[in-house]
Amino acid sequence: MNERVLKTLEFDKIKELLTGYAGSSLGKEEASKLYPSNELPEAQRWQEETDEARQVLRLKGQIPMGGIFDIRPHVKRANIGGILTAFECLDVASTMRAGKILKQFVADIEEEELALPILRERTEQIVILNELERNIKSCIDDHGHVMDGASEKLRSIRSKIRSHENSVRDRLEQYTKSKSKMLSDAIVTIRNDRYVLPVKQEYRGSFGGIVHDQSSSGATLFIEPQSVVESNNKLQAAKVEEKQEMERILQELSAQIAEDQGFILQNTEVLQKIDFLAAKAKFSKEMDAAKPAMNDQGYIKMREARHPLIDPDEVVPNDVEIGKEYTSIVITGPNTGGKTVTLKMIGLCTLMAQSGLQVPALDGCELAVFDDVFADIGDEQSIEQSLSTFSSHMTNIVEILKGVHEKTLVLFDELGAGTDPQEGAGLAMAILDEVISRRARVIATTHYPELKAYGFNREGVMNASVEFDVKTLRPTYRLLLGVPGRSNAFEISRRLGLEEKVINQAKSLTGQDSQSVENMIASLEEARKKADEDYEQAEEILKESYQLKKELEEKWRQFEQRKEKLLEKAEQKAEKEVKKARKEAEEIIDKLQNMKNSAEIKEHELIDAKKQLSEANVNLTGNDQKQAVEQEDTKELEPGDEVKVISLNQQGSIVEKISEKEYQVQLGMMKVKAKRENLVFIKRPEPPKEEKPTTSVKGRTYHVKTELDLRGKRYEDALQELEKYVDNALLAGYPRVSIIHGKGTGALRKGVQKFAERHPSITDQRLGGMSEGGSGVTVLELG
């Protein structure tokens, strides 16, 4: 790849931005080496690496890369016998710890069922050096100081140092108290690593000893009194021992680092690669970029692609496609309209994709791997060579033509500019013909009107333009594929106030062919705008339809689940009722048998037992009955009739007759419209019957309902009425009755429940179900 092209397309600025996202100097070094690959498998692998790191960022928000240092020089020096400093040893330990943390981080993510084959392969190469890390951390603290516990000898030496220091200080502090008038300041200080006193010049002879320093004025001498010289000597000797012992400890640690140098360098290399991957992922996230599918067929397709170096709030996204139906694009339009930016954006995104970077475009983009990307962009005249603009461009184009082939992308900015318009236009078309004949992918910008019709006469060439808003007299920077740019000179002049007669005169001097071309372009622009608007509207409708479809599918799924649950619940309830009925029947039969064998049979007891037996039957509709019901589908339906909707396999009731052939049916919480042929009559509710008197054994009649409403009554009155009602219900042969007491404070409910517990003929009690009144009703089982 030509280095001048990389600079022209500002690839170096992309590398500079990428470097800023690296977490260590190792990652920055790797980012600075970024270079496009012209091999498809390699470019695809790089894209997979970036995308995998981006997935981790989406899932975890970060990749732990802290504590990594470039320890390669340290390891190299240790390997040749050098002694590393405490801080250098700490850097080694920190980097090894960072590798261990990263390896565990990737393993934990994979346990969460997110496959990370690339990161796993890399982190598997990290060797855990726990012993080396532990040895360094046990000898050196986080501030780079060799700790007392690094060795027993060092601990003993430092104990001796503290003892000597205390001894020297104690003696000198006695001087500060007893001879404070002779001192400039009553303190103990240090000069040349020895403890001294600041003595006034005139009292020099009163102390003796050694003068180590004096103040700038000469008025103060820093004297080590003779009485502490020996103690200071012992202190210095101990400090020399300390230094020697620390050097020995660091030498041992350095030797261990040298011993593990192979693993350490291997870990460092892996961390460098992963830091680089993390930087690419962070850069992609910041750009809101997408992973491009890579190909070697010269096909480029991007939707809403943006120039990565322009402020996201200002950049205008554009759709670009080249390489299938057409291999060349000729962009025309006004100056400062965005042609050069579009050209650079396509070239720069191509280089980024070939380097493993994601591109700022919507998902689903596709980019090609080229052997070379050539660009002739901007004014590149050489002042040193005194070349004109045209000569500079032609020199560059001559070099480009030497290397053009089917695996190249060629970018021409203002092709043919800088010379006579007619000659320049002819030269531009000839150069384009040559590049196209070599099957290269070419995108060219120009302002020559002759090239506006170029795409209509050449196979594989697409005209394009940058849009210009005549109303605001500003470019919109939108790229319009399929529409050549048109001159807006007349319209702009009119809006700026030029007289109409002057404009008309200018039009009359313009060739008819030119005006026809302008009219055609204007028509194409209008059609393109209309098509874009229709497309956006259709896409919006499609999104709404898709959302509606999802919602309907979800509601239908919920409906089916609810139906299944209701059917299952109904089956369980039916089975429970059958078991209960059988049990009651067996108990009643046993009771009748006992009555039969007994000499004394009370008539009302016999009637009561027979009544219970009849109540124990369970009415479960069988398939034969259901089929018979479904055959009655010619019956005239009325509101309230129970029916089955065949298409939905659901039962409901008629709400309203809409017409002779259509009815509104209530299905649970939902109302639907159904044709008559889609409905099967099941049954019609019977009209309410009057309560029939139940005759007792003595011929008395009892008009007793199956429920008693006690709401609003005093507690004592309610219980008296309850006792009377239960006696009548027992004589009427009811197996169970409902007592309505309401929710209120709960006092009446408790009274009913206590009454039921004491009454010998009440076998069971329970609160009402959802359809029976809930906790406001108590159901009593009589026996």
Side-chain angles (χ1 to χ4, degrees):
M1 203 70 68
N2 190 296
E3 290 292 336
R4 187 187 60 78
V5 172
L6 297 180
K7 185 176 180 181
T8 299
L9 295 176
E10 300 179 290
F11 186 70
D12 55 329
K13 292 184 179 179
I14 292 295
K15 290 203 296 184
E16 186 178 339
L17 288 174
L18 177 63
T19 302
Y21 289 98
S24 67
S25 59
L26 291 169
K28 294 181 188 298
E29 178 187 294
E30 190 72 11
S32 67
K33 298 177 185 176
L34 187 73
Y35 198 80
S37 171
N38 56 10
E39 298 293 333
L40 178 62
E42 188 172 44
Q44 288 174 328
R45 186 175 72 253
W46 289 352
Q47 286 291 345
E48 290 295 333
E49 290 175 348
T50 306
D51 189 59
E52 191 170 292
R54 182 82 186 272
Q55 288 183 53
V56 175
L57 283 185
R58 278 194 292 266
L59 182 67
K60 294 295 184 180
Q62 64 166 350
I63 299 176
M65 301 303 300
I68 299 173
F69 299 93
D70 185 2
I71 57 175
R72 292 171 298 184
H74 309 340
V75 176
K76 183 177 180 181
R77 197 164 78 255
N79 190 45
I80 60 175
I83 300 176
L84 303 185
T85 66
F87 282 109
E88 288 171 339
C89 291
L90 274 183
D91 289 348
V92 173
S94 177
T95 304
M96 295 304 99
R97 175 175 169 77
K100 180 170 65 176
I101 291 172
L102 181 62
K103 186 170 187 175
Q104 187 60 48
F105 175 78
V106 173
D108 290 343
I109 294 178
E110 290 215 305
E111 286 182 4
E112 297 173 9
E113 299 183 356
L114 176 63
L116 301 173
I118 296 170
L119 285 173
R120 183 184 68 249
E121 181 184 356
R122 290 191 181 278
T123 54
E124 282 177 350
Q125 300 173 29
I126 295 176
V127 180
I128 305 300
L129 300 173
N130 281 330
E131 185 178 356
L132 174 61
E133 180 190 347
R134 186 167 52 250
N135 289 343
I136 293 174
K137 296 295 286 185
S138 65
C139 293
I140 305 170
D141 65 18
D142 294 337
H143 303 289
H145 299 130
V146 179
M147 296 185 289
D148 294 358
S151 72
E152 286 298 325
K153 184 175 180 181
L154 183 62
R155 188 191 303 276
S156 174
I157 291 172
R158 285 186 174 168
S159 176
K160 192 192 309 181
I161 288 173
R162 285 190 289 273
S163 176
H164 290 319
E165 284 179 339
N166 291 335
S167 175
V168 171
R169 278 184 168 278
D170 288 344
R171 289 185 183 180
L172 291 179
E173 283 176 357
Q174 289 177 5
Y175 280 107
T176 62
K177 295 175 181 178
S178 61
K179 298 184 177 183
S180 59
K181 293 181 179 179
M182 300 179 183
L183 303 177
S184 298
D185 199 355
I187 59 170
V188 177
T189 186
I190 296 175
R191 288 293 186 275
N192 300 327
D193 290 332
R194 299 178 76 90
Y195 288 97
V196 295
L197 292 172
V199 181
K200 295 177 182 178
Q201 172 69 30
E202 58 269 27
Y203 297 111
R204 175 179 180 178
S206 301
F207 288 87
I210 303 169
V211 177
H212 287 279
D213 196 4
Q214 68 179 9
S215 64
S216 57
S217 64
T220 301
L221 301 177
F222 294 96
I223 298 175
E224 178 184 0
Q226 187 64 42
S227 60
V228 297
V229 169
E230 184 62 26
S231 296
N232 258 333
N233 288 340
K234 292 180 180 178
L235 176 60
Q236 293 304 314
K239 287 186 176 181
V240 170
E241 287 183 56
E242 178 192 33
K243 185 178 180 182
Q244 291 173 345
E245 180 62 12
M246 286 194 299
E247 285 182 356
R248 185 193 67 78
I249 292 168
L250 292 175
Q251 188 173 28
E252 282 187 3
L253 293 176
S254 300
Q256 292 178 35
I257 291 171
E259 186 179 346
D260 290 331
Q261 64 162 326
F263 296 135
I264 295 172
L265 293 176
Q266 178 178 307
N267 291 358
T268 305
E269 183 180 357
V270 171
L271 291 173
Q272 182 178 31
K273 296 293 184 185
I274 296 179
D275 191 14
F276 174 56
L277 294 187
K280 290 198 294 181
K282 293 174 187 175
F283 187 33
S284 297
K285 182 181 179 182
E286 184 66 25
M287 290 189 297
D288 192 20
K291 173 191 172 187
M294 305 301 295
N295 67 81
D296 57 0
Q297 306 302 312
Y299 179 56
I300 296 174
K301 181 181 181 181
M302 293 186 287
R303 287 193 60 198
E304 296 193 17
R306 310 176 302 279
H307 195 294
L309 298 177
I310 298 179
D311 189 334
D313 296 330
E314 298 178 2
V315 68
V316 176
N318 277 306
D319 297 348
V320 178
E321 185 172 5
I322 185 174
K324 284 193 176 179
E325 297 180 3
Y326 48 90
T327 59
S328 305
I329 298 176
V330 178
I331 306 174
T332 52
N335 291 331
T336 70
K339 300 193 301 295
T340 304
V341 170
T342 302
L343 206 65
K344 283 188 172 183
M345 181 267 290
I346 297 170
L348 187 54
C349 285
T350 298
L351 296 177
M352 290 171 64
Q354 289 185 219
S355 305
L357 296 176
Q358 297 184 346
V359 295
L362 294 184
D363 288 337
C365 55
E366 192 164 352
L367 285 157
V369 173
F370 295 101
D371 289 348
D372 276 300
V373 176
F374 296 111
D376 178 55
I377 298 176
D379 183 6
E380 298 190 18
Q381 70 177 22
S382 171
I383 297 175
E384 291 78 10
Q385 297 177 14
S386 299
L387 294 175
S388 68
T389 301
F390 176 74
S391 299
S392 174
H393 280 296
M394 287 311 301
T395 301
N396 196 17
I397 289 171
V398 169
E399 290 299 317
I400 289 174
L401 290 177
K402 290 179 182 178
V404 170
H405 54 84
E406 62 179 350
K407 293 288 187 180
T408 55
L409 172 65
V410 185
L411 307 173
F412 290 125
D413 187 29
E414 296 296 348
L415 184 60
T419 186
D420 178 79
Q422 287 188 344
E423 292 181 356
L427 196 57
M429 287 188 282
I431 292 171
L432 286 175
D433 284 341
E434 177 63 22
V435 175
I436 292 170
S437 69
R438 300 190 193 180
R439 302 174 64 188
R441 303 297 182 264
V442 57
I443 303 173
T445 70
T446 181
H447 59 271
Y448 286 134
E450 290 83 356
L451 286 175
K452 293 178 182 178
Y454 184 81
F456 294 105
N457 304 326
R458 302 293 197 284
E459 184 179 353
V461 181
M462 172 64 72
N463 273 318
S465 62
V466 286
E467 190 178 48
F468 188 87
D469 192 338
V470 181
K471 294 180 180 179
T472 61
L473 301 182
R474 291 178 179 273
T476 65
Y477 304 105
R478 288 186 66 239
L479 182 67
L480 304 176
L481 289 174
V483 180
R486 65 188 179 99
S487 173
N488 297 290
F490 294 148
E491 189 63 31
I492 294 172
S493 299
R494 179 180 289 110
R495 292 187 62 81
L496 292 175
L498 188 63
E499 293 182 10
E500 194 67 31
K501 65 178 183 179
V502 178
I503 295 173
N504 292 334
Q505 176 67 13
K507 286 184 177 180
S508 67
L509 296 174
T510 305
Q512 187 64 36
D513 291 342
S514 177
Q515 290 187 27
S516 299
V517 170
E518 291 298 323
N519 292 335
M520 176 195 69
I521 293 173
S523 176
L524 283 172
E525 282 186 352
E526 189 65 30
R528 173 60 183 265
K529 286 182 180 179
K530 182 67 169 60
D532 285 346
E533 290 173 1
D534 291 345
Y535 175 80
E536 290 176 3
Q537 186 178 4
E539 193 167 81
E540 189 65 30
I541 293 172
L542 182 62
K543 287 180 181 178
E544 290 177 0
S545 301
Y546 178 71
Q547 184 64 28
L548 183 60
K549 177 175 176 289
K550 284 180 65 178
E551 290 176 1
L552 288 173
E553 287 177 346
E554 178 62 21
K555 286 182 180 179
W556 181 255
R557 185 185 65 80
Q558 292 175 359
F559 172 75
E560 287 292 327
Q561 287 181 347
R562 185 168 177 270
K563 183 183 75 173
E564 292 296 327
K565 289 180 180 178
L566 288 173
L567 289 173
E568 183 180 354
K569 188 176 180 181
E571 290 176 359
Q572 292 174 352
K573 186 175 181 181
E575 185 178 356
K576 184 178 179 181
E577 290 295 328
V578 169
K579 290 180 179 179
K580 184 176 179 182
R582 286 176 179 169
K583 183 179 179 182
E584 289 179 356
E586 290 174 359
E587 291 175 354
I588 293 168
I589 290 171
D590 290 341
K591 189 174 181 180
L592 287 173
Q593 189 66 39
N594 292 334
M595 289 179 178
K596 183 179 178 182
N597 297 331
S598 175
E600 295 181 0
I601 302 177
K602 297 180 181 178
E603 187 176 358
H604 74 279
E605 291 178 346
L606 183 59
I607 294 172
D608 186 38
K610 288 180 178 180
K611 181 69 176 177
Q612 290 182 44
L613 183 58
S614 64
E615 289 289 334
N617 294 329
V618 179
N619 184 18
L620 298 174
T621 304
N623 290 332
D624 294 339
Q625 180 183 355
K626 192 179 294 183
Q627 291 173 1
V629 169
E630 289 183 357
Q631 291 175 359
E632 297 184 41
D633 57 359
T634 59
K635 190 176 184 66
E636 183 70 22
L637 300 179
E638 297 177 359
D641 289 352
E642 293 188 21
V643 294
K644 176 181 179 182
V645 182
I646 299 172
S647 60
L648 299 177
N649 193 27
Q650 294 291 315
Q651 290 187 10
S653 59
I654 299 293
V655 176
E656 180 186 357
K657 182 177 181 181
I658 299 173
S659 65
E660 291 297 328
K661 296 183 179 180
E662 192 173 23
Y663 293 83
Q664 189 177 54
V665 183
Q666 182 81 39
L667 296 178
M669 299 176 66
M670 181 171 59
K671 290 182 181 180
V672 299
K673 291 181 180 180
K675 299 292 185 183
R676 178 62 185 86
E677 58 267 21
N678 192 28
L679 300 174
V680 176
F681 175 81
I682 295 179
K683 69 178 182 178
R684 180 167 294 163
E686 296 181 3
K689 296 179 180 179
E690 296 182 0
E691 290 284 347
K692 292 183 178 181
T694 302
T695 306
S696 72
V697 294
K698 296 183 179 180
R700 295 175 61 189
T701 59
Y702 299 90
H703 296 277
V704 184
K705 295 183 179 180
T706 58
E707 61 182 31
L708 173 64
D709 191 349
L710 298 177
R711 290 176 296 182
K713 297 184 179 180
R714 295 176 63 240
Y715 186 83
E716 293 80 4
D717 295 341
L719 291 184
Q720 288 179 7
E721 188 172 343
L722 173 62
E723 184 175 8
K724 181 180 178 182
Y725 170 76
V726 170
D727 291 341
N728 291 335
L730 287 168
L731 291 173
Y734 291 162
R736 67 186 60 81
V737 292
S738 299
I739 309 301
I740 304 172
H741 44 66
K743 298 180 181 177
T745 61
L748 188 55
R749 181 182 70 244
K750 292 178 181 177
V752 172
Q753 291 173 349
K754 288 181 179 179
F755 172 82
E757 290 173 0
R758 296 194 302 268
H759 201 288
S761 298
I762 298 176
T763 60
D764 196 9
Q765 60 170 306
R766 63 177 175 83
L767 290 177
M770 291 297 294
S771 61
E772 296 173 320
S775 60
V777 174
T778 298
V779 179
L780 304 179
E781 300 287 341
L782 307 178

